[in-house]
Amino acid sequence: MNFKLFKSVADCRNTNDFKNLAKAKLPAPIFHYIDGAADDEVTYRRNTAAYEQCDLIPNVLAGVEEVDTSVEIMGMKIDIPMFCSPTALQRLFHYDGERAVAKAAEKYGTLFGISSLGTVSLQEIGKTISTPKMFQFYCHKSPHE
């Protein structure tokens, strides 16, 4: 595949286009960090297979003046049925890192998950956005693990 075809996000039409753009733009270790999955990658393969079973077919709705896509997750109401999951070391692949994702989550009225390996402090995120937040915490058996 010629990755030079994808010069910007505007050129992307599907998830593979975004992946190819990232591969062309990012240093290999950072791309592979983002593209990789944990352990034996079983969940990664299952999620990919599940998405491949879905066809998104555009449909025009008539007579629908208002659509409510909000949902309650863990007692918090969010505007759309998805959220920004915790991702470690976000400033490796964007200069604003968690700041940018937090602002996007707030813009779209959804939950922002903050990684315990974040590159922006919890205090800053807390002061920056008002949207619901959750913290991913790794609990180790001892402080030396």
Side-chain angles (χ1 to χ4, degrees):
M1 161 130 319
N2 182 356
F3 297 117
K4 293 179 184 176
L5 295 174
F6 305 101
K7 295 179 182 171
S8 73
V9 171
D11 297 323
C12 297
R13 302 291 179 253
N14 56 50
T15 55
N16 279 332
D17 290 354
F18 285 107
K19 181 177 178 176
N20 290 331
L21 176 64
K23 190 170 190 173
K25 299 259 184 192
L26 295 172
I30 294 173
F31 171 78
H32 291 297
Y33 169 76
I34 296 167
D35 188 51
D39 297 325
D40 56 9
E41 299 188 346
V42 168
T43 302
Y44 171 80
R45 289 192 304 276
R46 287 180 182 165
N47 287 343
T48 301
Y51 276 107
E52 288 172 354
Q53 296 299 315
C54 295
D55 290 326
L56 299 177
I57 302 169
N59 237 342
V60 177
L61 298 174
V64 180
E65 285 75 33
E66 291 189 34
V67 176
D68 181 9
T69 61
S70 68
V71 65
E72 189 173 307
I73 297 177
M74 298 182 288
M76 295 177 277
K77 184 179 178 191
I78 57 177
D79 293 341
I80 57 175
M82 60 182 77
F83 68 94
C84 300
S85 63
T87 304
L89 307 172
Q90 291 185 24
R91 289 180 67 199
L92 282 178
F93 38 94
H94 189 278
Y95 64 93
D96 270 344
E98 291 85 356
R99 291 178 192 105
V101 179
K103 287 177 186 174
E106 184 172 56
K107 178 180 178 179
Y108 293 100
T110 193
L111 180 75
F112 175 57
I114 305 164
S115 172
S116 57
L117 296 174
T119 57
V120 175
S121 74
L122 293 172
Q123 293 82 0
E124 182 179 341
I125 295 297
K127 291 176 185 175
T128 302
I129 61 170
S130 61
T131 190
K133 296 165 275 305
M134 71 173 190
F135 178 63
Q136 173 198 47
F137 179 72
Y138 288 111
C139 184
H140 299 285
K141 292 180 185 176
S142 77
H144 305 293
E145 289 185 43

